[in-house]
Amino acid sequence: GQQVMQIPQYQHVQEGEDFTTYCNSSTTLSNIQWYKQRPGGHPVFLIQLVKSGEVKKQKRLTFQFGEAKKNSSLHITATQTTDVGTYFCPGAGSYQLTFGKGTKLSVIP
Amino acid sequence: NAGVTQTPKFRILKIGQSMTLQCTQDMNHNYMYWYRQDPGMGLKLIYYSVGAGITDKGEVPNGYNVSRSTTEDFPLRLELAAPSQTSVYFCASLGGIGVGYTFGSGTRLTVV
């Protein structure tokens, strides 16, 4: 699969603060998917972005796909303790996904 | 729909023992995958299958074997378990382009 770098690796925020994680690829992506893994849990599919410049929202979560389709971001507004977990944006190959370490989000109540 | 079901949830093996991790899905998905996740790390692809009778190696296949005799089942076999195989194993399936993977709840394996 394509290599996608994700930053930051860790983020600690106070509950109510915003949070953003970024994914960058050196090559053009056909699409990008986002997953969330709660501590002790399994990855859960959140969303897929396909179009250049696409923006999708899921309640407090906003997902963006860059105009050049080489980067993507996930922004969480007013974090809650339920947002705790690791967020992944795996690189896509031919029906395969390559998962990096993701961004581990901790929320301090 | 149960989705992707993995058994067992936990297992402790002694070095040199063998075991099979079971994975079954009821969504009629053609694509199935086995990943392992070490603490604090991402998921690494062990093996995958694009349909019954077809399997292929992923990034870390050594020490593992798979088979895919039916669409529903994709068991992962560990032969001669080693401490380096201590990990959490996730099975996943994919229904097609445009939808994400569905993961099982994982098998936590410890080799001592």
Side-chain angles (χ1 to χ4, degrees):
Chain A
Q2 292 172 300
Q3 289 293 328
V4 177
M5 303 304 296
Q6 189 172 357
I7 56 170
Q9 190 171 343
Y10 301 95
Q11 186 79 59
H12 305 275
V13 299
Q14 217 45 58
E15 189 173 15
E17 290 183 340
D18 292 356
F19 158 77
T20 306
T21 175
Y22 302 89
C23 293
N24 295 287
S25 171
S26 59
T27 59
T28 301
L29 302 168
S30 57
N31 65 78
I32 193 153
Q33 296 183 359
W34 285 91
Y35 291 78
K36 176 184 179 181
Q37 184 178 23
R38 294 180 185 271
H42 59 277
V44 174
F45 173 70
L46 295 177
I47 206 162
Q48 176 171 283
L49 305 175
V50 179
K51 299 177 181 177
S52 168
E54 189 170 14
V55 178
K56 288 189 176 180
K57 292 189 176 184
Q58 291 179 350
K59 296 184 180 178
R60 294 177 295 103
L61 278 61
T62 302
F63 303 85
Q64 292 189 323
F65 202 11
E67 294 290 341
K69 299 182 73 172
K70 289 185 175 182
N71 58 75
S72 181
S73 65
L74 160 59
H75 179 82
I76 302 179
T77 302
T79 55
Q80 299 176 358
T81 54
T82 52
D83 296 322
V84 164
T86 301
Y87 294 84
F88 297 97
C89 54
S94 177
Y95 291 103
Q96 297 175 42
L97 295 179
T98 301
F99 286 80
K101 294 181 181 181
T103 295
K104 185 174 182 179
L105 173 64
S106 299
V107 178
I108 304 164
Chain B
N1 282 353
V4 177
T5 302
Q6 290 184 239
T7 57
K9 293 191 183 302
F10 304 93
R11 183 72 185 268
I12 298 175
L13 276 183
K14 293 185 178 179
I15 295 171
Q17 287 186 322
S18 300
M19 77 166 291
T20 299
L21 281 67
Q22 301 292 344
C23 176
T24 187
Q25 52 95 4
D26 62 358
M27 298 172 285
N28 202 33
H29 288 175
N30 284 323
Y31 301 91
M32 295 188 74
Y33 308 84
W34 275 105
Y35 286 89
R36 60 174 286 174
Q37 185 176 36
D38 298 331
M41 304 295 285
L43 289 83
K44 294 187 177 180
L45 183 63
I46 306 172
Y47 271 96
Y48 66 100
S49 170
V50 299
I54 306 169
T55 62
D56 209 344
K57 296 178 181 179
E59 181 185 359
V60 290
N62 291 345
Y64 307 94
N65 277 300
V66 293
S67 60
R68 186 93 182 271
S69 57
T70 66
T71 299
E72 295 77 19
D73 300 306
F74 190 39
L76 177 71
R77 178 81 177 165
L78 277 72
E79 305 282 1
L80 299 175
S84 61
Q85 293 178 306
T86 294
S87 191
V88 180
Y89 292 83
F90 290 104
C91 179
S93 71
L94 176 66
I97 298 174
V99 297
Y101 283 22
T102 300
F103 282 85
S105 57
T107 294
R108 282 163 173 73
L109 175 68
T110 302
V111 182
V112 296

